[in-house]
Amino acid sequence: MDTQMPFDTSLPPRAATPGVSAYNPTYDPLVSAPGRGQDYAPTYWVASAGEPPQDDGPIQGDVDADVVIVGSGFTGLSTALTLARDFGVRAVVLEANRVVWGCTSRNGGQGQNASGRLYRSQWIERWGLDTAKRLDAEIREGFEYWKSLVAQVDCDAQPGGHLYTAHRQKKMGFLENEARVMREVFGYDARMLSKSELRERYVDDHEAVGAMHEPDGVGVHPLKLAYGYLRQARALGVRVHPSSPVLGWRVENGVVLLQTPGGVVRARRVAFATGGYTAQGVNPLLDNRIMPVLSNSLVTRVLSPAERESAGLKSTVFITDTRTLRFYYRLLPDGRMQIGSRSALRGADAQNPRHLALLREGLARKFPSLRGVEVAYSWWGWVDVSHDMMPRITQPDPTQPVYYAFGYGGNGVAFSAHAGRRLAQRMMGKDGLAWDLPIYDSPLPGHLFAPFRRIGQGLLYRWYHLRDEHL
């Protein structure tokens, strides 16, 4: 069975697009060039989002711009939208491949009141209570902002919060502590659910021994949402150019010159928002500061009402389990199951059938009646993880008019909207905001052993698996 292409026949095939090159399933940001004009990954989102909105075609000739944004995903489009709406700046967005080609079209669509990989209790341990509370207020504001954007776009929104399931009894204490911190310190209505309560109200996950429910959480169709951002931005004069990879850049006399295959783009200010698809060697401000990690996803065929009942699927609330190598899963609006987890270490190994088998087995352990159910779509995507597990939205070198937003660690569906808004505000010199918070006041940290990150990642995956399943 080919794990790259959809096997489902309930959605019509997407017609080929002239001038678009074939999708490369082995793309790896540490060894691959950015690419040019590649087609989308064969995701369920691409198959069900409809035709992409109009764009402005590739760069053809030299261009002058006030602000250029590199990357047309959630962050880049949110930045462009804020610049146009709040500052009257019509940015130029450069995309190496098709619009919203990277993680924005491949993620799980889980919008949480979170950012980065750290929990709120860990914020307190790292920065103290006062900073943790201020950071919470900032990210909470960002979540509300994202919800306001979701309300403007038909993106199959599924409200209801987020379930965090304990996949082993020993994890219940961890969840109970996080729920207490969220209630008593940050004022959230987080509550614990017993195994029977989880089964009766939400889902009969056979691995789960209990769960924490967070009230803030909205599942979305990420590509429909991104298309909504794109339409709004272009209606305000933003120009979006696919098939226009940045091959290199330099600053001359305070102007940034970005080299693309079609010409040089000159800008007074530039923002990089390429996430896990940031090719090594293109931007020295980002080299070795991101740990790109592959995440695998599958979507099943449509389940009948009887199959959903047999599996105990009573809710569309999205779910994450307590593994370090976590599974994330939910029932989609059309009755399909989606599940995702870790994937290959390298792009060259991404098509190995064992990664799809891991998801199939994870789904079967949680919902035994779904063992062997047909897979309709299978894909993978790169996640940008920072070395300290928290994002940065900043100007890394005050002497250069270059900015970036990176490091969401898999929690970028919602937070990227706020990150883009803050990125735009920083570029325009807006004062009075929380620029002294840890996610704004320093660049992404480097790591001494970054050149050997894949070796370390492989060893960590073995340790995490042992700890998740056996210790």
Side-chain angles (χ1 to χ4, degrees):
M1 183 177 290
D2 186 344
T3 62
Q4 296 178 57
M5 299 302 294
F7 328 124
D8 189 89
T9 58
S10 60
L11 292 171
R14 191 168 48 84
T17 302
V20 173
S21 61
Y23 163 64
N24 175 16
T26 64
Y27 174 84
D28 186 327
L30 293 189
V31 298
S32 303
R36 182 181 181 187
Q38 282 189 44
D39 205 352
Y40 295 111
T43 73
Y44 167 72
W45 312 125
V46 170
S48 58
E51 286 301 309
Q54 286 292 111
D55 56 55
D56 296 280
I59 289 290
Q60 295 181 343
D62 295 348
V63 174
D64 290 310
D66 185 9
V67 176
V68 168
I69 300 163
V70 184
S72 69
F74 280 144
T75 302
L77 293 176
S78 175
T79 305
L81 187 59
T82 300
L83 287 167
R85 184 192 58 217
D86 296 351
F87 299 99
V89 174
R90 298 176 179 180
V92 170
V93 179
L94 303 179
E95 169 59 54
N97 298 295
R98 299 197 69 179
V99 292
V100 292
W101 175 84
C103 195
T104 294
S105 64
R106 312 182 199 207
N107 62 73
Q110 298 186 353
Q112 294 181 238
N113 179 13
S115 184
R117 303 284 291 184
L118 300 184
Y119 306 105
R120 280 167 171 79
S121 63
Q122 293 173 305
W123 297 354
I124 297 172
E125 293 173 5
R126 180 172 292 189
W127 296 298
L129 183 58
D130 178 66
T131 297
K133 284 186 173 181
R134 292 178 60 233
L135 184 58
D136 172 72
E138 176 72 5
I139 291 175
R140 189 185 307 208
E141 178 184 343
F143 184 73
E144 293 300 319
Y145 173 67
W146 175 73
K147 286 199 301 182
S148 75
L149 296 180
V150 169
Q152 301 170 33
V153 179
D154 182 5
C155 58
D156 303 340
Q158 295 174 296
H162 169 229
L163 283 168
Y164 205 3
T165 57
H167 76 288
R168 300 174 67 186
Q169 185 64 45
K170 65 182 291 186
K171 288 294 184 178
M172 284 296 284
F174 159 74
L175 289 182
E176 287 165 355
N177 180 67
E178 288 302 318
R180 180 189 60 79
V181 169
M182 292 187 72
R183 285 194 311 270
E184 297 178 5
V185 178
F186 299 104
Y188 292 103
D189 184 23
R191 63 186 186 278
M192 293 298 298
L193 301 171
S194 67
K195 182 175 182 177
S196 61
E197 289 172 324
L198 178 66
R199 178 181 300 172
E200 290 166 7
R201 299 176 58 182
Y202 293 101
V203 63
D204 187 11
D205 181 338
H206 283 225
E207 283 192 319
V209 297
M212 177 180 75
H213 179 263
E214 300 176 271
D216 291 330
V218 181
V220 296
H221 189 302
L223 195 53
K224 288 183 179 180
L225 180 59
Y227 284 173
Y229 290 2
L230 177 58
R231 291 187 182 96
Q232 291 179 24
R234 290 192 73 248
L236 292 172
V238 173
R239 289 177 290 158
V240 180
H241 296 280
S243 301
S244 301
V246 172
L247 306 176
W249 61 271
R250 66 186 187 276
V251 179
E252 290 186 0
N253 299 320
V255 176
V256 185
L257 283 71
L258 301 112
Q259 182 67 55
T260 77
V264 174
V265 181
R266 296 177 289 266
R268 293 175 56 197
R269 284 157 289 191
V270 174
F272 282 86
T274 45
Y277 290 81
T278 305
Q280 190 86 346
V282 172
N283 188 340
L285 299 174
L286 290 165
D287 284 350
N288 297 323
R289 294 179 183 270
I290 289 292
M291 179 67 202
V293 174
L294 267 182
S295 180
N296 233 25
S297 289
L298 70 77
V299 169
T300 71
R301 63 163 170 79
V302 176
L303 304 177
S304 70
E307 287 174 317
R308 298 197 295 271
E309 181 178 2
S310 177
L313 302 172
K314 300 178 180 179
S315 171
T316 58
V317 169
F318 63 80
I319 308 167
T320 311
D321 71 20
T322 45
R323 289 175 170 88
T324 303
L325 301 174
R326 66 189 64 172
F327 286 93
Y328 52 92
Y329 44 111
R330 63 171 166 144
L331 181 66
L332 296 172
D334 64 357
R336 303 170 189 266
M337 272 299 289
Q338 174 200 17
I339 187 169
S341 187
R342 65 180 173 90
S343 184
L345 298 181
R346 297 171 175 82
D349 186 48
Q351 299 175 93
N352 192 308
R354 71 174 181 271
H355 306 303
L356 178 58
L358 182 145
L359 292 186
R360 288 181 181 273
E361 182 59 27
L363 183 66
R365 286 201 308 269
K366 294 177 182 299
F367 307 103
S369 66
L370 297 182
R371 181 176 292 277
V373 69
E374 294 87 350
V375 173
Y377 300 90
S378 170
W379 70 91
W380 44 89
W382 292 97
V383 179
D384 56 325
V385 179
S386 67
H387 290 297
D388 69 351
M389 303 298 174
M390 288 297 284
R392 295 297 191 284
I393 303 92
T394 192
Q395 181 183 13
D397 182 349
T399 68
Q400 297 186 2
V402 179
Y403 303 75
Y404 62 57
F406 283 92
Y408 309 140
N411 272 321
V413 172
F415 184 71
S416 57
H418 189 60
R421 179 169 65 156
R422 290 297 194 235
L423 188 60
Q425 292 166 340
R426 295 208 76 160
M427 298 177 80
M428 300 308 296
K430 187 172 178 62
D431 295 324
L433 298 171
W435 301 137
D436 60 337
L437 283 170
I439 59 175
Y440 300 128
D441 68 358
S442 63
L444 286 163
H447 197 285
L448 180 63
F449 299 107
F452 311 102
R453 72 195 84 182
R454 292 278 168 79
I455 297 173
Q457 185 184 0
L459 293 173
L460 281 173
Y461 274 15
R462 290 183 176 87
W463 164 242
Y464 292 154
H465 175 77
L466 181 65
R467 190 174 61 183
D468 284 341
E469 309 299 342
H470 303 292
L471 296 182

